[in-house]
Amino acid sequence: MPATCEALGLTFDYPDNWQLEDSSEEAEAIMLAGPETAFWQISRHPAGTELESLFDEALSALRAEYQQIEAHAAPEQSFEGTPLTGFDVNFYCLDFTNTAWLRGFSTPEAVYLLICQAEDREMTSTAPIFQAMLTSLFRQLDSQVEPRDIPSSL
């Protein structure tokens, strides 16, 4: 049975074996940690915030933490009709390869930065979980607007 998170002006489902790290109403970010290495972090920023500056800040933080990262612009997509842009990032941590998806989207009320990350061996099984969480999130957002298509992959 999935659990539901209602925070940052968003509502979405997540696996009940994941740990919600911060769900206080005052927080501008929340993080969900999977049972292994995976995590999902979403932060809320004021409407009109430039996504490019949020991506630059996130990529700079990754570069400061890890010696070498590879970052590639992800193809712009529309998820449940909401444009979703970002980067796919690969890096080494403790001799393991890791992948992070940096994604951003805007609503009339706010701009959001999402980071989905896992060690690569786990990413194969975690990517569908990230997809399901995104689907849940955007379906909730979309129910406030109009029906749209869902892409087959992130």
Side-chain angles (χ1 to χ4, degrees):
M1 186 87 173
T4 300
C5 178
E6 293 184 26
L8 308 176
L10 301 171
T11 301
F12 58 92
D13 296 331
Y14 64 93
D16 60 4
N17 66 337
W18 284 48
Q19 181 69 39
L20 181 61
E21 298 292 329
D22 185 5
S23 61
S24 69
E25 287 301 316
E26 298 83 32
E28 291 298 316
I30 57 169
M31 188 172 90
L32 290 154
E36 295 181 50
T37 68
F39 72 86
W40 157 293
Q41 178 181 330
I42 192 160
S43 57
R44 178 186 168 118
H45 305 272
T49 300
E50 291 292 324
L51 281 171
E52 277 304 315
S53 66
L54 295 177
F55 292 137
D56 288 346
E57 187 177 319
L59 289 169
S60 291
L62 285 168
R63 285 186 180 100
E65 181 73 22
Y66 306 104
Q67 289 185 352
Q68 294 182 348
I69 70 166
E70 291 182 21
H72 305 281
E76 187 170 322
Q77 297 173 312
S78 179
F79 206 93
E80 287 284 330
T82 301
L84 190 65
T85 61
F87 291 86
D88 294 331
V89 182
N90 301 100
F91 58 93
Y92 287 96
C93 179
L94 302 174
D95 293 330
F96 293 103
T97 57
N98 290 261
T99 296
W101 298 336
L102 306 180
R103 299 294 188 266
F105 63 94
S106 300
T107 68
E109 296 80 26
V111 174
Y112 295 92
L113 177 66
L114 172 66
I115 302 173
C116 303
Q117 182 177 315
E119 190 268 318
D120 283 352
R121 293 176 299 173
E122 184 185 358
M123 185 58 96
T124 303
S125 61
T126 305
I129 295 169
F130 290 152
Q131 290 279 12
M133 292 166 66
L134 278 168
T135 298
S136 171
L137 184 148
F138 284 110
R139 282 198 175 136
Q140 182 65 27
L141 283 175
D142 200 47
S143 69
Q144 301 167 8
V145 190
E146 63 207 39
R148 300 197 170 101
D149 295 332
I150 304 171
S152 59
S153 68
L154 180 66

